[in-house]
Amino acid sequence: GRLAGWAAGLYMVAVFLDHTDGELARLTGKTSRFGHHFDYIVGSANYTALFLGLGFGLSRTPLGAHALALGLAAGLANPVIVALRMTMERRFGEAAVAHPRRAGFEIEDFIYLIGPITWLGGVTYFFVVYGLGTLGYLGWTLWEFVHLQRGDKGLDS
């Protein structure tokens, strides 16, 4: 309903501000190791809260316990992803965690669709697709981590 629409809009603003402050820091040369790690952790907490909240809220729909399970799984996948990516970056450099850009967009930019999808009544679809996508991203990150550890090229080559 209306509350979900407002929540989606506020979430988009939070993500936009998160992305903007990082870009501003890079453009002005005011980046720091602490800021970089803090950004990772806050972003992870933001995504975790999103999935836990959606899972709890949608548990009162026909998804029921499945929503709780997916919300919990996708929510808790985020800190694991961030821990792996921070480890990969520390051990193998920034290139190891760089997301490919296509037409000026990165994979995480798709989170901005939460607003329009929610406003059109599709929050359940958003939750399921993005929740499963997060679990897939965890699998991909694990795959990349293992291959980097072995010295292989991984999936991006």
Side-chain angles (χ1 to χ4, degrees), residues 66-84:
H66 297 292
L68 281 174
L70 181 57
L72 187 61
L76 295 179
N78 282 287
V80 175
I81 291 167
V82 166
L84 285 168

Side-chain angles (χ1 to χ4, degrees), residues 94-114:
E94 286 183 31
V97 294
H99 287 130
R101 292 181 75 92
R102 303 285 190 264
F105 294 97
E106 289 184 14
I107 191 168
E108 83 172 331
D109 292 337
F110 285 100
I111 195 67
Y112 290 107
L113 293 175
I114 189 173

